[in-house]
DNA sequence: ACCCTGACTTCATTATTTCTACTCAGCATG
DNA sequence: CATGCTGAGTAGAAATAATGAAGTCAGGGT
């Protein structure tokens, strides 16, 4: 069943996000896009079968996460490349959250030769945190997910 | 193909996290867990078929995200309930990131009667942000995902 | 003009998810 | 104490999606 067929899930932004981001390979493709990969063959290298890759790239373009651009290298035919669009760049916190969770709870068994972290461009480490209106950090245990009824008349 | 069959993905904490969290329904089940749901029938209400539900609850327990507890209401037989374990509570930032992305990029078309937000227990809104070592907020555009080689000798 | 290369698509096979019917434990009833 | 009722949880067939290999197509080199 598609979760979004239930109205209760349609009104949940988690379920709506997962309809796009939850498809197999999509978040790994976006990871590659954040590493600067743009070409079909570069994406294919992560192990996604080519049939799936074409379908996923189309879906990510349709959803506005990637932008399709024609390019042509000299002596080559024209091809498509895929670069992060605004909505795609906004997926960074999702990836960062997954990195933090994975590094904490699924540390590599043996042969852990590579670590993933989030850093500033200059290289100093950054992490995701909950902050309140004044920018003060809030402990995760003090945070709850709230479902708020929105008055149909004056929501903004 | 399982992404983790490639060594390059095994060393990626995103791929490792998705092996657990990326299974269909799992993040929606955890959402319900954060809302305080613990019983089989409560989880079933989100639309997951019972066959899948049993398999997913088992997997989440095995992965240490949920803790299975026997309980018995008076006049009823003993049953199992499922409460968030430490690793499960740590999924909160992932859900928060998905909420923020969904609310921004997939706003409900019409009939948007409910909003999801993250708040403190007292009800003041909180949001996810990148912060550096000193707790200063860092713009998302200044953040990159870095793959760092870890010295193989001292890793254990 | 013809073959070669590599991006991208299509289709039969295979793995997952889903649906339906079933089992099983405990209580209420007789 | 046996019988039937209720709802949690489980085990198999049908539908759906992912996979892998073969095919298509555009350009360049010879």
């Amino acid at each position: 069943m598609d979760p979004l067929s239930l109205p209760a899930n349609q009104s949940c932004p988690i379920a709506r996000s997962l309809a796009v981001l939850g498809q197999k390979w999509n978040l790994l493709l976006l990871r590659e896009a954040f590493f600067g990969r743009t070409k079909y063959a570069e994406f294919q290298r992560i192990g996604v079968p080519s049939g799936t890759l074409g379908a996923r790239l189309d879906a990510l373009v349709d959803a506005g996460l990637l932008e399709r651009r024609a390019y042509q290298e000299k002596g080559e035919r024209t091809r498509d490349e895929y670069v992060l669009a605004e909505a795609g760049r906004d997926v960074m916190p999702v990836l960062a959250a997954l990195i933090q969770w994975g590094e904490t709870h699924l540390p590599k068994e043996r042969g852990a030769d590579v670590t993933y972290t989030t850093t500033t461009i200059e290289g100093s480490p950054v992490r995701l945190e909950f902050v309140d209106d004044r920018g003060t950090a809030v402990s995760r245990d003090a945070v709850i997910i709230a479902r708020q009824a929105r008055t149909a008349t004056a929501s903004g």
Side-chain angles (χ1 to χ4, degrees), chain A:
Chain A
M1 176 194 273
D2 175 14
L4 292 184
S5 60
L6 272 86
N9 285 330
Q10 280 175 38
S11 63
C12 171
I14 300 171
R16 277 180 278 137
S17 295
L18 288 175
V20 180
L21 302 176
Q23 295 294 102
K24 193 169 176 182
W25 296 108
N26 274 1
L27 285 170
L28 296 181
L29 291 174
L30 288 169
R31 176 196 72 188
E32 294 302 304
F34 275 106
F35 284 145
R37 315 270 186 252
T38 62
K39 305 206 182 91
Y40 192 94
E42 292 174 331
F43 290 119
Q44 206 168 12
R45 236 164 267 148
I46 68 174
V48 55
S50 54
T52 306
L53 178 54
R56 288 298 182 273
L57 290 174
D58 285 351
L60 289 171
V61 169
D62 285 350
L65 305 198
L66 293 179
E67 192 184 321
R68 195 196 311 269
R69 288 185 194 162
Y71 78 100
Q72 182 165 21
E73 298 191 350
K74 62 177 185 299
E76 295 292 325
R77 76 173 215 228
T78 62
R79 311 196 188 287
D80 286 337
E81 66 177 352
Y82 303 86
V83 301
L84 280 172
E86 172 70 12
R89 287 192 296 274
D90 269 347
V91 174
M92 169 79 83
V94 177
L95 295 180
L98 289 170
I99 289 173
Q100 288 187 191
W101 191 85
E103 290 283 359
T104 306
H105 296 285
L106 300 171
K108 279 203 66 190
E109 309 73 27
R110 73 249 171 269
D113 50 344
V114 176
T115 312
Y116 280 54
T117 57
T118 46
T119 72
T120 62
I121 295 164
E122 295 85 30
S124 42
V126 298
R127 61 186 190 282
L128 268 185
E129 284 220 354
F130 287 106
V131 301
D132 64 17
D133 277 343
R134 297 182 303 281
T136 309
V138 175
S139 156
R140 182 216 67 194
D141 290 324
V143 175
I144 61 173
I145 298 174
R147 252 185 308 213
Q148 298 176 327
R150 180 145 64 175
T151 57
T153 54
S155 67

